[in-house]
Amino acid sequence: MPFLPVLLAMASTFSPTSAARALVPGSTSRPLFLAAAAASSGRIQPSRKGLDFRRGRFTVCNVAAPTAAEQEATASAAAKESQRPVYPFAAIVGQDEMKLCLLLNVIDPKIGGVMIMGDRGTGKSTTVRSLVDLLPDIRVVVGDPFNSDPDDPEVMGPEVRERVLRGDTSVPVTTAKITMVDLPLGATEDRVCGTIDIEKALTEGVKAFEPGLLAKANRGILYVDEVNLLDDHLVDVLLDSAASGWNTVEREGISISHPARFILIGSGNPEEGELRPQLLDRFGMHAQVGTVRDAELRVKIVDERARFDRDPKTFRESYNEEQEKLQQQISSARSNLGAVQIDHDLRVKISKVCSELNVDGLRGDIVTNRAAKALAALKGRDSVTVEDIATVIPNCLRHRLRKDPLESIDSGLLVIEKFYEVFS
């Protein structure tokens, strides 16, 4: 049967309001495939704006499409609807040391991350993931896979940096939440570092870089659960990126470097294995988490968790006010951080504590100063006090002390003893 009569016969079975009907621009009665057939037989003159018919074929042009802003808003709304509900940070009972370390790193990312070690089932990963709701907005370049900062060349992707160096002022900018990226234990090195884009290589015949998790985590948070079980080759990758702030990929004829500055957060159970000392030293702070022993607190935790499991949406709404207060406190602390001062005498005493504890390197001194300033900013002050230093110094130095197999005392207590000895 000839093709055109078949189409005409099919068309006669559709109603004018059929969802399958595509109308020619400017027409309200003729389906698209009938218009194409009629145009090919010379009965109608095709519209140059909407359709272009050549030898019985047609191409569609000037089709109305949603703007980039509309697409971004739709995608953001869809992502919020589809994502799993997160336990509110304000609803976490106890574990004040861990929560404080996380908040200080959000206020000042240059502290260098947190290592959280403790018993299983103490809410380590729940607390870290609940941090997502409190993360502030940052300015990023639209469509850039590296979350490039439009104002800082040090954290720009290669393409954006080239455009800025050429003097291009039309780089589109938007605001977005700081991202949190999970690094699975079974991830491959290609997925973490990035690799060649095979699809583009096959379809377009060009070598293109496909960014990995380190690119996605730039200017964000990289979280590794059970970090002490991470494969050695991935530990090497993390060490390299954490040390330089850049990720360099050399493979399949591709040589590319991109910024990879992230807050590294790890959690684990010390009974399952020790962490390599090189990686441990890369964490700015160390939080020790223990099981809650108070019976009343344990009952409260169980009840709160049961409420969340029963109706996550209502449970989250009940903590909206506290969450908003925390967000405002963090935002205010980030903006005031630059104005916080620490006296020279206090800085000298911090370095004296580090020296007398035989802490290798100067990271301990730097992190303690930064953490004390962040804590002062969180409390709304513009100067650091001795109490601020006493609060943060055990978390900044505990994991940097040399291990003595015959020593039974906790390293955090050693730091506190030395602190009171020096600051007395």
Side-chain angles (χ1 to χ4, degrees), residues 128-335:
V128 173
R129 293 191 171 99
S130 69
L131 200 63
V132 170
D133 291 334
L134 303 180
L135 297 178
D137 291 338
I138 55 173
R139 296 177 76 241
V140 297
V141 175
V142 176
D144 183 71
F146 307 105
N147 299 320
S148 296
D149 186 340
D151 305 315
D152 186 0
E154 285 298 312
V155 282
M156 285 181 184
E159 292 180 7
V160 175
R161 194 183 309 111
E162 284 178 14
R163 291 177 64 180
V164 171
L165 289 176
R166 286 200 307 265
D168 187 353
T169 57
S170 62
V171 177
V173 177
T174 185
T175 57
K177 281 270 188 188
I178 290 178
T179 55
M180 179 179 287
V181 179
D182 277 271
L183 177 60
L185 291 180
T188 62
E189 189 174 338
D190 286 356
R191 184 70 189 95
V192 175
C193 297
T195 185
I196 189 170
D197 190 334
I198 299 298
E199 186 180 351
K200 267 195 175 179
L202 293 176
T203 57
E204 301 177 21
V206 296
K207 292 176 181 177
F209 178 67
E210 184 177 352
L213 294 178
L214 293 180
K216 190 177 179 183
N218 185 40
R219 302 181 67 208
I221 295 174
L222 184 66
Y223 175 49
V224 191
D225 196 7
E226 306 294 350
V227 65
N228 46 341
L229 303 180
L230 198 64
D231 288 341
D232 283 347
H233 69 282
L234 292 182
V235 171
D236 294 338
V237 169
L238 288 182
L239 279 172
D240 187 36
S241 298
S244 63
W246 287 79
N247 176 42
T248 303
V249 180
E250 301 274 356
R251 58 186 58 176
E252 284 95 14
I254 285 181
S255 176
I256 187 170
S257 294
H258 67 79
R261 295 190 178 183
F262 46 80
I263 303 171
L264 184 60
I265 299 179
S267 61
N269 183 353
E271 294 177 1
E272 295 171 354
E274 291 293 327
L275 193 64
R276 278 171 58 176
Q278 302 97 315
L279 184 59
L280 187 60
D281 188 57
R282 290 293 169 187
F283 289 97
M285 304 182 78
H286 185 286
Q288 195 74 38
V289 181
T291 304
V292 176
R293 300 299 176 191
D294 184 82
E296 289 294 332
L297 271 182
R298 291 170 77 107
V299 170
K300 183 179 179 183
I301 293 169
V302 172
D303 289 345
E304 292 284 86
R305 185 70 211 191
R307 278 182 56 209
F308 176 76
D309 291 339
R310 190 164 52 248
D311 189 353
K313 186 177 180 182
T314 305
F315 183 80
R316 283 172 57 82
E317 286 173 354
S318 67
Y319 280 94
N320 276 349
E321 189 176 343
E322 292 178 54
Q323 292 278 95
E324 287 173 7
K325 282 182 182 177
L326 264 175
Q327 283 179 320
Q328 292 171 1
Q329 200 174 355
I330 291 170
S331 178
S332 175
R334 282 171 65 95
S335 59

Side-chain angles (χ1 to χ4, degrees), residues 47-80:
S47 166
R48 289 184 180 275
K49 278 190 177 180
L51 297 167
D52 180 23
F53 299 100
R54 291 173 186 165
R55 298 182 182 176
R57 299 178 184 178
F58 61 88
T59 58
V60 182
C61 52
N62 291 351
V63 178
T67 63
E70 290 172 343
Q71 288 177 337
E72 189 178 341
T74 305
S76 176
K80 280 190 175 182

Side-chain angles (χ1 to χ4, degrees), residues 107-109 332-341 370 373-375 377:
I107 292 168
D108 185 2
S332 175
R334 282 171 65 95
S335 59
N336 297 333
L337 181 63
V340 177
Q341 300 294 324
R370 287 191 177 279
K373 286 183 177 181
L375 181 57

Side-chain angles (χ1 to χ4, degrees), residues 41 91 104 122 185 249:
S41 61
L104 295 183
T122 48
L185 291 180
V249 180

